[in-house]
Amino acid sequence: MSVLVEAVLALGYGLASALVPIVNAEAYAVVAGSRGSHALVAVLALALGQTAGKLLLFEAARRGTGRLAQKFAHRSRSGRAAAGSARWAGRIQRWLSRRRTALPTVLASAAVGVPPLAVVSLAAGTAGLRHREFAAACLAGRVIRFALLVLPAALT
């Protein structure tokens, strides 16, 4: 497969996985790493696609689509689960509203997955985080995440 085809496929897969939870970018990264030849291209393209998708969520929340944020935060849970979800969302919102904790929270979420990046993307949009700062932290975290997944597969 050519480098351009690999880049386009990985970019599209990354974008789809950012918006559709059952599409797994991590699995794509491992498979791309096991093929070996264009693993770095796949890592960068997946990270760009994921960042673009999370920026769509970020902008949707920033522009005031509160229904979207509520849908991700509450997902029709009842009782204790809904209360726990509300506390978790409130905690993320507080972290993202403070300048010194916002970028580390986005970076950790993008690299490790805790808290979930979809929730962080929505909360960051409503918290007033700068667009470029969010994008840079998200992209850096995604590159780290996918590189760590690709590296063992590429070395075997």
Side-chain angles (χ1 to χ4, degrees):
M1 185 176 335
S2 77
V3 175
L4 182 61
V5 171
E6 179 72 40
V8 170
L9 286 174
L11 184 72
Y13 203 91
L15 180 63
S17 69
L19 301 173
V20 181
I22 93 171
V23 179
N24 192 332
E26 288 80 0
Y28 188 97
V30 171
V31 169
S34 67
R35 286 189 310 225
S37 61
H38 306 298
L40 180 61
V41 171
V43 165
L44 294 175
L46 272 172
L48 282 171
Q50 278 262 309
T51 301
K54 298 307 180 187
L55 278 169
L56 290 174
L57 295 176
F58 175 89
E59 285 299 322
R62 173 174 271 188
R63 293 175 190 240
T65 54
R67 290 183 206 151
L68 182 61
Q70 289 173 357
K71 186 175 185 178
F72 273 97
H74 298 294
R75 289 202 185 166
S76 69
R77 295 179 181 148
S78 62
R80 283 188 355 193
S85 178
R87 278 192 305 273
W88 182 250
R91 199 172 298 145
I92 292 170
Q93 188 73 28
R94 281 192 306 278
W95 288 335
L96 292 171
S97 65
R98 295 185 194 123
R99 188 113 175 106
R100 65 185 166 106
T101 56
L103 292 180
T105 301
V106 174
L107 183 64
S109 176
V112 180
V114 176
L117 187 55
V119 174
V120 169
S121 300
L122 293 168
T126 61
L129 190 61
R130 292 182 181 140
H131 187 267
R132 287 183 180 155
E133 290 176 347
F134 173 80
C138 184
L139 181 61
R142 293 278 100 178
V143 167
I144 291 167
R145 181 177 182 90
F146 295 139
L148 288 174
L149 289 169
V150 164
L151 188 61
L155 293 176
T156 59

